Amino acid sequence: MTAALAILAGALSGAAQADPAASDGTRTVAYRGYEIRVPADWRVVELADDPDACIRFDKPAVYLGKPAADPACPADLVGRTAGVVVQPLDKDAASRTSSATAKAAEGAATAPKAASYNGTVQVAVEDAGVLVTAAHTPGTEDDVRAVLDSARLTDGARPARLPKSADGAAPLADNGPQPGDFKGKGFDVCSAPSSGTMSAWTGASPYRAVGVYISGGLRACDQPNLTASWVSTQVTRGWRMIPIDVGRQAPCTDYRSRMSYDKATAKEQGRSAANSSATVAQGLGIPPGSAIYSDIEGYSPSTTCTAAVLSYLSGWTEALHAKGYLSGFYSSASSGIRDAGNNYSNSAYTRVDHIWFAWWNNAADTNTGSYVSADKWANHQRIHQYAGEVGETWGGVRIGGIDRNYLDVGNGTPPPVTCATANLSFNSYPTLQEGSTGDQVKAAQCLLKAAGHDPLGGKDTPTGTFDAAMTTATKNYQASKGHTADGVIGKKTWTALLSRGSTPTVQNGATGEAVLRLQRALTAALGRTVGIDGIFGAGTEQAVKDYQSSRGLSADGIAGANTWAALQAGK
């Protein structure tokens, strides 16, 4: 880090001033009596001096003050590093909070146990009257938390309480599937426009659909307007939502967050992204039956890169289907969309439900030209981004950067979950017995079927209900393993089922299907969440050591023959 510059926001004026450089490569930033230390190379933006500034997280920065209702953001920003927004704790700030928002204790400026939700840690510091929103990626979360943990109150603190009627507490409206049945023009924009701007554009513009970035670790823009009430208001006005997730990108690109070249790991990464995005969508009042679009920017296709992208999309699609959503895929027509089209009938991958192709030819239609034949995704399953990064004014209100789109989309029903697409990765594996229901039961049914004890009567669609046939299959499996045959799936049975399969030696740095099985089995055996991402990192290594030491094995953190044998025995 370079020499530091101290920035102090005056308690009343909000003006910034420089202090002598710090020796540790940080700078001090203060606003309304809330003070933090950030890396010296972070940009500091006074929103009072630049009220239309785009709060963007593709470059590290601190933003002080009230975010603009309609910031001047480019439409096509993608990428995230880290950033912090410190704003007055008023009604507008309260509308941005959620159940994950932490409160600093009285007399304190930190909340060390604040949860991360959707790539954001948020803390209400009532003794300074500020809401602090910190954006991060998995790789920068520790750095962002260090910034938040450095916070302290100063003499300029002006207390304010978090209003009790936060938007997240309101009942969610019945908005119906999004974008639903629609044919016509839409636009997408990096930061959701204010409700006032949407109102002005409702009666004047040719658009009736709006693309909004709801989730994903590479969202570049802040979303001060995107709340459940905002979604409900726009849907009531007749707008259709196009929910977008921008997460891991193709492994052959230079983005900071990329999917693995390993196909099994990439698939699990897509599944994880879908699960997170569906949770966010539901919180915004975008219900099952809606399509959520994975934004994978253009890349240079190759055998290995294409396979990784399609594997990621397979996991994305399967996980969304399991939650009742349709899957969409946004990419350039010449790379991702062409690859998807070339593999339209390839049974190695699960096909997405909708395509959204970027081809800036200024033609408002859904013609994919030579990139994808017209018979593919032909049943109201297409969006065409036909122009990009343009400014438009409607109803006297201008948005400086939008992409233009033409939609021909329709409602659909996700296909039923099969044992080939069922989710096997959970944060916990509870005890199951006759009468239990849910996704974990579906997983157990498919695991038993794969182990040769079929509870589904030859069918491939799990029911999610633990019935008499399931009890019989469980008892038979337990007897084959030498376990007590009680028909109840507890820790021992889960561990054996989840670890079943090949037993290669895996250690820190390994990726793939065996690592996934290991992580699932450790989650069941240890009774705590082990990150299930197919990547053997420090967390998995520690979990292996903990398991080994608790089972009387040599605790070297390497899953070899003895560790696999113990897991597959259900120990």
Side-chain angles (χ1 to χ4, degrees):
M1 295 181 181
T2 59
L5 179 69
I7 305 282
L8 299 176
L12 296 177
S13 67
Q17 64 184 52
D19 268 11
S23 60
D24 63 352
T26 65
R27 63 172 67 183
T28 300
V29 179
Y31 178 74
R32 290 177 58 110
Y34 172 84
E35 181 181 286
I36 52 176
R37 298 189 68 80
V38 302
D41 56 358
W42 282 30
R43 194 164 58 107
V44 178
V45 180
E46 288 273 352
L47 295 175
D49 297 335
D50 189 3
D52 295 325
C54 175
I55 297 178
R56 50 191 292 180
F57 301 129
D58 57 329
K59 297 179 181 179
V62 182
Y63 297 87
L64 306 174
K66 193 176 181 68
D70 290 295
C73 291
D76 297 316
L77 284 181
V78 173
R80 173 177 285 211
T81 54
V84 176
V85 182
V86 186
Q87 66 186 102
L89 191 56
D90 56 15
K91 183 178 179 181
D92 290 338
S95 71
R96 302 188 62 186
T97 61
S98 71
S99 59
T101 303
K103 282 188 182 182
E106 185 176 351
T110 63
K113 295 184 179 180
S116 173
Y117 175 71
N118 201 18
T120 301
V121 180
Q122 193 172 67
V123 181
V125 184
E126 294 182 320
D127 280 358
V130 296
L131 179 68
V132 185
T133 303
H136 63 81
T137 68
T140 61
E141 182 174 354
D142 288 346
D143 297 332
V144 163
R145 288 189 180 276
V147 169
L148 295 177
D149 289 345
S150 75
R152 71 182 189 93
L153 300 173
T154 69
D155 292 341
R158 291 180 281 166
R161 299 301 158 202
L162 178 66
K164 294 182 179 180
S165 57
D167 177 82
L172 295 179
D174 182 9
N175 295 316
Q178 301 298 318
D181 292 316
F182 180 74
K183 189 173 184 178
K185 291 184 176 182
F187 71 94
D188 63 269
V189 63
C190 190
S191 184
S194 68
S195 193
T197 293
M198 294 296 293
S199 177
W201 277 44
T202 299
S205 79
Y207 305 111
R208 287 298 177 271
V210 57
V212 289
Y213 290 90
I214 68 167
S215 59
L218 286 183
R219 286 168 298 135
C221 292
D222 190 31
Q223 293 283 13
N225 299 316
L226 185 57
T227 64
S229 64
W230 183 90
V231 170
S232 177
T233 297
Q234 310 325 316
V235 171
T236 299
R237 288 171 172 163
W239 287 92
R240 305 301 182 99
M241 299 290 114
I242 313 173
I244 309 166
D245 174 272
V246 56
R248 293 179 185 271
Q249 297 297 298
C252 51
T253 64
D254 293 329
Y255 287 99
R256 288 175 178 266
S257 180
R258 301 184 295 275
M259 59 194 73
S260 174
Y261 273 111
D262 181 274
K263 293 193 292 185
T265 301
K267 185 174 182 178
E268 192 65 22
Q269 289 169 336
R271 183 181 293 278
S272 176
N275 287 331
S276 297
S277 191
T279 298
V280 173
Q282 288 180 316
L284 289 171
I286 299 171
S290 301
I292 307 177
Y293 297 81
S294 177
D295 177 347
I296 298 177
E297 297 291 314
Y299 57 91
S300 299
S302 68
T303 300
T304 53
C305 194
T306 296
V309 169
L310 296 177
S311 297
Y312 180 93
L313 289 171
S314 293
W316 168 260
T317 300
E318 291 169 11
L320 285 180
H321 286 175
K323 291 183 175 294
Y325 286 86
L326 298 173
S327 72
F329 171 37
Y330 167 91
S331 191
S332 67
S334 61
S335 60
I337 300 302
R338 173 181 277 164
D339 277 349
N342 288 342
N343 289 274
Y344 185 83
S345 299
N346 188 342
S347 61
Y349 305 109
T350 303
R351 185 192 310 151
V352 297
D353 299 304
H354 289 184
I355 57 170
W356 181 0
F357 58 99
W359 182 18
W360 292 359
N361 62 357
N362 290 312
D365 57 29
T366 55
N367 180 8
T368 45
S370 62
Y371 296 116
V372 176
S373 61
D375 61 326
K376 297 171 181 174
W377 294 285
N379 187 24
H380 309 291
Q381 297 168 282
R382 296 185 174 204
I383 304 176
H384 178 193
Q385 186 182 86
Y386 62 89
E389 202 54 56
V390 296
E392 295 191 18
T393 301
W394 298 100
V397 178
R398 181 172 180 80
I399 301 178
I402 69 168
D403 296 329
R404 297 168 177 158
N405 298 279
Y406 186 81
L407 296 81
D408 184 358
V409 292
N411 286 330
T413 302
V417 174
T418 67
C419 281
T421 62
N423 181 29
L424 303 180
S425 301
F426 300 94
N427 289 332
S428 65
Y429 294 89
T431 299
L432 303 176
Q433 56 191 320
E434 196 159 326
S436 297
T437 59
D439 289 340
Q440 280 97 333
V441 175
K442 291 181 180 180
Q445 288 173 324
C446 293
L447 289 167
L448 286 168
K449 181 180 176 70
H453 299 277
D454 184 7
L456 301 174
K459 298 178 181 178
D460 196 41
T461 302
T463 64
T465 299
F466 202 128
D467 55 15
M470 181 74 169
T471 299
T472 299
T474 301
K475 287 181 177 180
N476 290 339
Y477 174 75
Q478 290 169 328
S480 75
K481 301 296 291 184
H483 298 176
T484 300
D486 58 5
V488 177
I489 299 180
K491 181 182 293 187
K492 193 170 186 176
T493 306
W494 270 124
T495 301
L497 283 169
L498 290 164
S499 60
R500 180 183 169 275
S502 62
T503 58
T505 297
V506 290
Q507 57 188 304
N508 203 328
T511 61
E513 186 271 338
V515 178
L516 288 170
R517 284 189 290 110
L518 176 67
Q519 291 169 329
R520 292 169 185 147
L522 288 170
T523 295
L526 295 173
R528 73 169 195 254
T529 301
V530 176
I532 303 173
D533 57 7
I535 301 172
F536 198 129
T540 301
E541 183 177 43
Q542 186 59 55
V544 171
K545 289 180 179 179
D546 292 345
Y547 176 79
Q548 290 169 328
S549 62
S550 66
R551 269 63 174 180
L553 303 174
S554 176
D556 58 5
I558 299 172
N562 291 336
T563 301
W564 280 114
L567 288 167
Q568 293 187 346
K571 294 182 179 178

